[in-house]
Amino acid sequence: MQSPPSDLRAPLPVLPTMKPRLIRRLLLPLPILLLMLTCGYVAERLSERAGIRALAENGARQLELHARALESEISTHTYLPSLLELEGDVIRLLLQPTPYRRERVNRYLEGLNQRSGSRAIYVLDPSGRVLATSNWQDADSFQGEDLSFRAYFQDAIAGRPGRFYGIGTTTGEPGYYLAHGLRHAGRIVGVAVVKIRLDRLERRWERARLDAFVSDENGIIILSSDPSRRLRSVRPLDDETRSRLAGSLQYHWVRLDELQPLDRQPLNPGAELLSLPVRSANGEEHPVRYLAQSQPLHDSAWTFTLLTPLQDVRREAMSHGMLAAAAFALLAILLIAWNERRKVIATRLAAREALQEANSQLERKIAERTADLRASNERLRAQIRERRQAEETLRKTQDDLIQAGKLAVIGQMSTSIAHELNQPLAALRTLAGNSVRFLQRGNLETASSNLQTINELVDRMGRITASLRAFARRSDDTGEAQLGKAVDAALFLLQPRLERTPLTIHRDFAEACLAIDQTRLEQILVNLIVNAIDAMATQRDRQLWLEGRLDDQGRYRLGVRDNGPGIPPALRSHLFEPFFTTKPGEQGLGLGLTLSASLAAAAGGSLSVRHPEEGGTAFVLILPVLATAPNETAADE
């Protein structure tokens, strides 16, 4: 074969220099990073504002509810002082005091105080001295005390209703005083006073985990779910106000320090963002950000303030911000990859055109090489077509596999949610039916307790779906769980089943703090206990053992064993397979053990089964233990 002429061996056109492209690639990450941070910050701010608006709407409803409850607690005893005006012995004692009349009135007030549930009831003469009192037999009796300096006496003796919150000078107990001027023949001959305790509201707030306080007309916090805030002022007190309060002994000798927020940001009338110092269990103070919503009470000059922590809103906003930043970064990477791909294709097309031009010149100049070059070109084109076809087939296969995986995960999540919510819905149905019957009987307290339990179950259902989503995301945050609380919650959720199928439960496990989410541990226990109940449904003697100890590797080993008929050997190898169940009909989906094993594995543990020789079935749940257990006692205090 002859060599091509020298003019055909000329080099191909030189591509543009790579230096400007290198500079652009080095400078490109900086604006992308700035845009990513900006996008994350905007998403975080928008999410935080939306979360605060949602908390404000929910807080407004709670604020109205608890404010009305406080007013109802006060109004329950407002009739008592005026009731004494109808008692002839009280009027006769005020008109002409004698030891005999004083003893009769003392006994009457003592009985009235016990029946009404108030702290104390006493009667004062026009000079402000106590003539008769319900605590006349106590060591700290009010008998004979001069209370003319009290504001409630001064208002009542002037014919106005006396309303006063203060600390008793004799007992040192805080209370709310209701005073009424007792009239005879058109003139006030004495004053009746009822002292009530409002600390039941504080205990109710603590049980409901409500962070709230009530401030009086002086701006002093008189009721608070946090004892450290009680008798502190919500606004600065000038010297004149401090002197007036000290002279009236309304708050005894308390210093009345100011509750100073670290940060304050007004939102709208009656709502603001506060940052308050909170003392943790180890005694250290750290700032906590709250949404503070206030509402004045109708029948008094008090103000009810509800504090809603913003940690969850802030955490969720940060998550949304990071997700938005990650989404922007992914989009930017895709755009850059698409642009680079476009440039590569353009470069390849340019090189192909140059090659075709060179081939045309070669075909014109060298006739003897035409056949060989054409054959080579045909082979190259065939290889290119085959490669493109292979790439297209591979890409389509990958897309089909990804889509099939998505559909499988979606199907597993939907059936898992239906399976896990079945038992809380049954409990909700039972509690709702009981609430209707209690309401028909007029038993409002029990009905209110059932409705509170329904609310907790609804929150639990939300945590169930949240835990399923967290499991689907394969989160590294395993959380923490108290074993005793999880067992109690699982047994409570299964209470209707246990009433229909009673069994004896042997609890022999050591309390531990496990490295798994509280709701996930409850899900596993519910699934295992339900399987045990179903396995022992046809027998009379039903026994269930919950046995737990630390193993040699420092992990917690919890056994759930029943005395049922056991599992046939032919079915034992299929226990943890999805949709496999030994229950008849539509009683089970066959996902309980599969989901429980998955939850245990996600927490770094395992779920296995053994078949004791004495009969029954024993499931063994192994979970890691947290290095430091939380101080529950300190937290409760």
Side-chain angles (χ1 to χ4, degrees):
M1 182 177 298
Q2 297 180 355
S3 300
S6 59
D7 58 344
L8 296 181
R9 293 195 298 268
L12 295 175
V14 180
L15 296 177
T17 177
M18 298 296 291
K19 187 175 182 180
R21 181 181 299 176
L22 180 61
I23 295 176
R24 288 197 301 270
R25 289 184 176 180
L26 293 176
L27 296 179
L28 185 60
L30 182 60
I32 293 178
L33 180 62
L34 293 177
L35 290 175
M36 182 181 67
L37 295 177
T38 302
C39 182
Y41 175 77
V42 172
E44 178 187 0
R45 299 301 298 173
L46 292 177
S47 177
E48 184 176 9
R49 291 180 183 177
I52 291 176
R53 283 197 301 269
L55 286 181
E57 294 175 359
N58 183 51
R61 293 189 292 269
Q62 292 194 21
L63 189 67
E64 180 68 20
L65 177 63
H66 291 285
R68 297 292 81 81
L70 177 59
E71 294 173 353
S72 175
E73 183 73 18
I74 295 174
S75 63
T76 304
H77 300 84
T78 53
Y79 73 95
L80 282 178
S82 60
L83 181 65
L84 298 182
E85 200 170 47
L86 304 177
E87 180 62 30
D89 289 340
V90 175
I91 300 300
R92 284 191 290 272
L93 175 65
L94 291 171
L95 295 177
Q96 189 175 359
T98 63
Y100 173 72
R101 291 175 178 174
R102 179 179 291 108
E103 183 178 357
R104 284 178 58 86
V105 174
N106 281 338
R107 295 185 181 280
Y108 169 73
L109 294 179
E110 182 180 9
L112 181 61
N113 181 66
Q114 292 176 355
R115 290 190 299 270
S116 63
S118 57
R119 179 61 182 88
I121 304 177
Y122 49 95
V123 178
L124 296 84
D125 62 11
S127 65
R129 189 168 299 278
V130 179
L131 288 181
T133 177
S134 61
N135 61 353
W136 60 284
Q137 299 188 73
D138 298 341
D140 54 355
S141 173
F142 301 154
Q143 190 79 47
E145 286 196 14
D146 184 6
L147 301 178
S148 59
F149 64 94
R150 287 296 198 183
Y152 60 82
F153 170 78
Q154 298 171 6
D155 290 338
I157 202 68
R160 300 185 299 270
R163 300 292 185 268
F164 181 82
Y165 183 91
I167 300 177
T169 57
T170 302
T171 62
E173 290 182 345
Y176 188 55
Y177 298 84
L178 304 170
H180 176 74
L182 302 177
R183 296 180 180 272
H184 178 72
R187 65 186 182 91
I188 296 178
V189 295
V191 174
V193 181
V194 176
K195 179 180 180 181
I196 61 176
R197 293 290 300 273
L198 299 177
D199 52 356
R200 288 182 298 180
L201 290 171
E202 295 177 324
R203 293 193 296 269
R204 191 183 306 166
W205 295 343
E206 291 178 2
R207 288 195 300 268
R209 296 183 179 179
L210 188 73
D211 204 343
F213 62 83
V214 176
S215 56
D216 61 6
E217 65 277 3
N218 300 315
I220 305 300
I221 298 176
I222 57 178
L223 299 173
S224 175
S225 58
D226 185 356
S228 63
R229 300 193 186 110
R230 195 177 298 121
L231 295 181
R232 301 181 70 176
S233 63
V234 297
R235 58 176 179 265
L237 300 177
D238 53 23
D239 295 338
E240 179 181 356
T241 303
R242 289 185 178 274
S243 300
R244 176 175 58 83
L245 297 178
S248 65
L249 293 180
Q250 181 174 358
Y251 309 104
H252 212 224
W253 300 108
V254 181
R255 291 181 53 184
L256 303 179
D257 295 330
E258 181 182 353
L259 181 64
Q260 297 181 351
L262 304 177
D263 185 24
R264 171 170 287 171
Q265 179 182 350
L267 293 179
N268 49 57
E272 60 181 351
L273 298 179
L274 295 179
S275 181
L276 297 175
V278 175
R279 188 175 300 277
S280 59
N282 56 8
E284 298 181 357
E285 286 191 352
H286 61 280
V288 176
R289 195 166 177 81
Y290 294 96
L291 170 63
Q293 296 173 274
S294 302
Q295 176 176 326
L297 302 183
H298 292 164
D299 299 334
S300 63
W302 295 357
T303 301
F304 184 84
T305 302
L306 177 65
L307 300 177
T308 306
L310 298 179
Q311 292 96 329
D312 294 338
V313 173
R314 181 62 179 169
R315 191 181 300 110
E316 186 176 359
M318 293 181 63
S319 299
H320 291 169
M322 289 188 291
L323 286 176
F328 179 83
L330 179 60
L331 179 61
I333 292 174
L334 292 177
L335 290 176
I336 293 174
W338 174 81
N339 187 49
E340 292 297 325
R341 176 67 177 173
R342 184 184 59 83
K343 291 180 179 179
V344 169
I345 293 176
T347 303
R348 289 181 179 178
L349 291 176
R352 184 177 297 173
E353 292 178 356
L355 181 58
Q356 290 177 352
E357 181 65 24
N359 287 336
S360 299
Q361 293 179 3
L362 288 174
E363 288 175 357
R364 290 194 302 266
K365 299 294 184 178
I366 309 175
E368 63 273 13
R369 297 187 57 186
T370 300
D372 295 338
L373 291 176
R374 185 178 295 112
S376 298
N377 288 335
E378 289 297 332
R379 287 194 299 271
L380 289 174
R381 288 171 183 161
Q383 293 176 359
I384 291 174
R385 285 193 300 270
E386 292 176 359
R387 183 170 298 177
R388 288 180 178 176
Q389 185 176 2
E391 292 177 355
E392 184 66 24
T393 303
L394 178 60
R395 188 180 299 109
K396 183 177 180 181
T397 303
Q398 291 175 346
D399 293 340
D400 292 341
L401 290 176
I402 292 174
Q403 185 65 21
K406 291 181 179 178
L407 293 177
V409 171
I410 292 174
Q412 184 178 6
M413 287 180 63
S414 61
T415 52
S416 298
I417 292 173
H419 178 77
E420 294 301 327
L421 295 185
N422 183 40
Q423 294 160 357
L425 287 174
L428 286 176
R429 187 185 305 110
T430 301
L431 290 174
N434 290 340
S435 299
V436 172
R437 289 192 290 271
F438 285 127
L439 289 175
Q440 291 173 352
R441 298 174 185 172
N443 192 345
L444 300 182
E445 182 177 358
T446 307
S448 176
S449 176
N450 283 354
L451 293 176
Q452 180 66 25
T453 306
I454 288 174
N455 187 34
E456 293 173 357
L457 284 176
V458 172
D459 293 339
R460 185 179 303 278
M461 291 167 66
R463 292 195 299 271
I464 288 174
T465 57
S467 66
L468 290 175
R469 291 195 302 269
F471 171 72
R473 289 194 299 268
R474 302 293 184 180
S475 174
D476 293 333
D477 186 9
T478 59
E480 62 182 43
Q482 299 293 330
L483 179 59
K485 293 181 179 179
V487 172
D488 293 339
L491 294 177
F492 173 76
L493 191 60
L494 297 175
Q495 188 62 33
R497 293 289 304 275
L498 295 176
E499 292 177 355
R500 295 193 304 268
T501 311
L503 54 85
T504 302
I505 300 178
H506 306 276
R507 300 169 60 131
D508 183 20
F509 56 86
E511 182 58 49
C513 187
L514 306 179
I516 187 174
D517 185 77
Q518 185 75 28
T519 303
R520 293 188 176 187
L521 180 57
E522 294 173 9
Q523 290 176 250
I524 296 174
L525 293 175
V526 166
N527 288 330
L528 297 181
I529 296 174
V530 165
N531 287 340
I533 294 174
D534 293 338
M536 298 183 292
T538 58
Q539 62 190 53
R540 299 184 61 183
D541 180 25
R542 306 180 185 93
Q543 303 284 334
L544 180 66
W545 289 268
L546 299 177
E547 303 169 336
R549 294 292 184 274
L550 288 175
D551 61 9
D552 298 336
Q553 300 179 359
R555 299 181 303 175
Y556 198 89
R557 186 183 186 93
L558 176 65
V560 181
R561 179 169 60 90
D562 61 69
N563 65 337
I567 300 173
L571 302 179
R572 294 176 180 178
S573 60
H574 305 284
L575 285 179
F576 295 96
E577 294 180 1
F579 303 104
F580 174 78
T581 178
T582 59
K583 300 176 184 179
E586 299 179 354
Q587 295 183 8
L589 295 176
L591 288 175
L593 292 178
T594 303
L595 181 59
S596 300
S598 300
L599 293 176
S606 64
L607 177 64
S608 59
V609 63
R610 64 183 183 88
H611 309 281
E613 295 180 359
E614 61 271 20
T617 305
F619 287 93
V620 180
L621 176 63
I622 299 178
L623 291 173
V625 180
L626 290 180
T628 303
N631 192 346
E632 295 182 4
T633 303
D636 292 338
E637 295 175 356

